[in-house]
Amino acid sequence: MRLYSAQYCCPSLLLLSSPSPYPFPITRSTVLSMASAAQQDSAVKSVAVIGAGVSGLSAAYKLKLHGLNVTVFEADARSGGKLRSISHDGLIWDEGANTMTESEAAVGFLLDNLGLRDKQQFPLSQQKRYIAKNGEPIQLPSNPAALIKSNLLSAGSKLQIFLEPFLWKNNSTSKRPDAEESVGAFFQRHFGKEVVDYLIDPFVAGTSGGDPESLSMRHVFPELWDLEKRFGSIISGAIQSKLSARKETTGRMKDSLVKKKKHSSGSFSFLGGMQTLTDALSNELGKDELKLQSKVLELSSSCSENSPLDNWSISYELDDKNHSCQKSFDALILTAPLSGVKQMKITRQGLPFLLDFIPEISYLPMSVIITTFKRESVKRPLEGFGVLIPSKEQENGLKTLDRAPADVHLYTTFVGGSRNPELAKASRDELSQIVTCDLRQLLGAEGEPASLNHFHWSKAFPLYGRKYGSVIEAIDKMEKDLPGLFYAGNHKGGLSVGKAISSGCEAADLVISYLDTCSDAKVNSL
């Protein structure tokens, strides 16, 4: 949690602080002016949130619960961002993320407060996950005994996994290559190349659309990066951390954790799809609080003698593009992609504030293909959560990132990411051929799909590349140089839905702390 000092308050108000109670004559007009300022300070503060994706909506919801006035600006005609669910002919599918977990505390906070526990939908047999090898799906081992029996990895790779706690015990962290080590290099040091090819590669492709060699370990898996720093062995570190957490949890706290684990086990979606979550958040906002088809054009920060806060003015354009509006706020949260933020015009104290220090960010494209097959047309249906295809399996003609739900009639397939960025832009017909071919090889699907739907995300994910630290530094600089502005979203902290929610809630907490600190500074200065 960031703490705020008087540097974030207006200098003109800080001049009032002096050894004497009041450094000015006390007149009737002075008393009235002070009373007016006190009344203004006691008024409910207003906060703007730019972007109505899951991060922005989560932030707005938490701010509103705290009693603040909130306005959310969204350029699109709908809220929800990349959580988009479609219902058609009795089928429901997601064109973006189709599951999430409760690994973040903020997720449980929303589920409880929004009353969504009864709407959670857990996949059947979600513990059964598959990896394609030699053109065939192989069940992913779920425990050490299953790993020994599995033919997913060679005997040499299995031995390296079991020896990792001993080979890396108390290993000096000075031996780590550098802070920008790739995901692939990190896991290859610990477990070998085959583990990277058949476990790490398909996992990061399925969660971030990236490949192990282009992703930064420090930013994609910060927890594991920290475990190596503390323990050397990441297996030993994970075990010791888990045991330590158990020892610290006793009595009622332990009972509470057990209940939480019942809620947070595994991946889940919602009845009606993932958009159920963002719809619930949107419904908590009034019509005047959620402004759709409202594109923000300019942000302007200024300081008033009657306020301890930098006052933010937002100019935005309505959908008809013939009418622009302006509103003022005490703080704001940006959740728009940084590529879009860089295009905004920002001024502070009447002077342009340039965002040229934000580096160029690479975004990964992704196409989502929804296909349905009649039950009798699928000869080798899999009971499980899904199939992930390593990039190495492209040698065997497999090019998609497929996840098959328990209902074998409907398949959601992801094409693209860093391994096949151009393929993500292919035509609907070409993608249909590729997906159908892969499903025939993996599942024995016969004939053509009964139906096919296609959605393309040109910027599905920001790439957490090996130089991504410069992006985080730029975000920190933007927040430091623009008091009252905070950034949230999947450009920092993680790409999952849970991480995005947590980022939004954390930004809301920072806004609350900022407003409280500046209000205290004003009281102390009078």
Side-chain angles (χ1 to χ4, degrees), residues 367 415 421-431 434 454 456:
S367 276
V415 180
E422 294 303 317
L423 199 56
K425 306 172 187 177
S427 67
R428 175 190 173 98
D429 290 341
E430 184 179 357
L431 288 170
I434 292 170
H454 166 227
H456 175 69

Side-chain angles (χ1 to χ4, degrees), residues 165-173 230-233 240:
F166 306 99
L167 296 175
W168 288 85
K169 185 176 182 180
N170 298 322
N171 193 60
S172 173
T173 58
R230 293 167 55 199
F231 301 100
S233 164
Q240 291 182 55

Side-chain angles (χ1 to χ4, degrees), residues 164-438:
E164 193 268 353
F166 306 99
L167 296 175
W168 288 85
K169 185 176 182 180
N170 298 322
N171 193 60
S172 173
T173 58
S174 63
K175 295 182 180 179
R176 278 201 295 188
D178 58 67
E180 301 303 335
E181 185 177 21
S182 71
V183 169
F186 178 93
F187 282 103
Q188 186 167 337
R189 285 193 294 111
H190 283 265
F191 303 110
K193 190 173 186 308
E194 188 180 29
V195 168
V196 173
D197 288 342
Y198 281 97
L199 293 180
I200 306 305
D201 175 276
F203 177 79
V204 297
T207 56
S208 70
D211 65 271
E213 298 311 317
S214 66
L215 296 172
S216 165
M217 184 67 196
R218 183 162 61 102
H219 296 293
V220 177
F221 297 108
E223 295 86 357
L224 296 183
W225 178 266
D226 184 60
L227 284 180
E228 188 196 51
K229 184 178 179 180
R230 293 167 55 199
F231 301 100
S233 164
I234 57 178
I235 291 179
S236 294
I239 294 173
Q240 291 182 55
S241 297
K242 191 171 183 178
L243 291 175
S244 177
R246 285 181 178 178
K247 290 179 181 179
E248 294 175 1
T249 308
T250 58
R252 286 184 297 178
M253 290 180 63
K254 187 172 183 178
D255 294 336
S256 175
L257 184 63
V258 170
K259 292 178 181 178
K260 180 181 176 182
K261 284 184 177 180
K262 290 181 180 179
H263 288 315
S264 59
S265 58
S267 302
F268 64 89
S269 181
F270 299 93
L271 297 173
M274 291 291 288
Q275 191 176 317
T276 296
L277 171 60
T278 48
D279 284 349
L281 287 167
S282 298
N283 290 338
E284 293 294 319
L285 301 173
K287 182 179 179 181
D288 293 334
E289 295 173 320
L290 178 57
K291 294 186 177 297
L292 300 177
Q293 297 179 297
S294 299
K295 182 180 180 180
V296 173
L297 303 175
E298 182 177 353
L299 306 176
S300 179
S301 171
S302 61
C303 190
S304 168
E305 292 185 0
N306 293 326
S307 174
L309 308 172
D310 271 30
N311 180 271
W312 282 92
S313 177
I314 295 181
S315 297
Y316 62 99
E317 183 179 66
L318 297 179
D319 184 54
D320 58 18
K321 299 182 180 180
N322 294 321
H323 182 65
S324 60
C325 304
Q326 187 169 324
K327 291 192 68 172
S328 296
F329 300 90
D330 298 298
L332 63 90
I333 295 176
L334 279 173
T335 68
L338 284 177
S339 58
V341 172
K342 289 183 69 174
Q343 305 303 316
M344 290 182 184
K345 181 180 179 181
I346 301 179
T347 60
R348 188 179 184 210
Q349 309 300 339
L351 300 175
F353 184 85
L354 302 179
L355 296 175
D356 51 2
F357 57 86
I358 299 179
E360 291 298 319
I361 300 170
S362 298
Y363 292 88
L364 300 177
M366 189 74 71
S367 276
V368 184
I369 315 299
I370 312 296
T371 53
T372 59
F373 285 85
K374 294 181 179 179
R375 183 180 297 271
E376 60 270 19
S377 297
V378 181
K379 303 305 179 184
R380 297 191 301 275
L382 294 178
E383 181 185 350
F385 184 65
V387 182
L388 290 172
I389 301 175
S391 57
K392 194 174 181 65
E393 284 299 298
Q394 293 190 62
E395 301 169 2
N396 295 310
L398 298 175
K399 298 182 179 180
T400 62
L401 313 170
D402 177 64
R403 287 192 285 183
D407 180 0
V408 296
H409 289 96
L410 185 147
Y411 296 92
T412 302
T413 309
F414 299 86
V415 180
S418 61
R419 65 168 68 165
N420 287 309
E422 294 303 317
L423 199 56
K425 306 172 187 177
S427 67
R428 175 190 173 98
D429 290 341
E430 184 179 357
L431 288 170
S432 174
Q433 292 177 5
I434 292 170
V435 170
T436 303
C437 181
D438 283 3

Side-chain angles (χ1 to χ4, degrees), residues 10-51:
C10 285
S12 58
L13 288 172
L14 296 180
L15 292 175
L16 297 179
S17 297
S18 71
S20 61
Y22 303 104
F24 45 79
I26 302 299
T27 64
R28 182 175 183 275
S29 61
T30 302
V31 172
L32 291 175
S33 177
M34 292 175 63
S36 176
Q39 183 178 10
Q40 180 178 351
D41 185 62
S42 64
V44 177
K45 300 294 188 295
S46 60
V47 182
V49 178
I50 300 176

Side-chain angles (χ1 to χ4, degrees), residues 115-126:
L116 292 177
R117 292 288 182 190
D118 292 339
K119 295 184 179 180
Q120 282 181 278
Q121 193 172 42
F122 292 86
L124 298 174
S125 304
Q126 67 168 300

Side-chain angles (χ1 to χ4, degrees), residues 156-170:
S157 294
K158 294 175 184 177
L159 180 62
Q160 190 165 350
I161 292 174
F162 286 113
L163 289 179
E164 193 268 353
F166 306 99
L167 296 175
W168 288 85
K169 185 176 182 180
N170 298 322

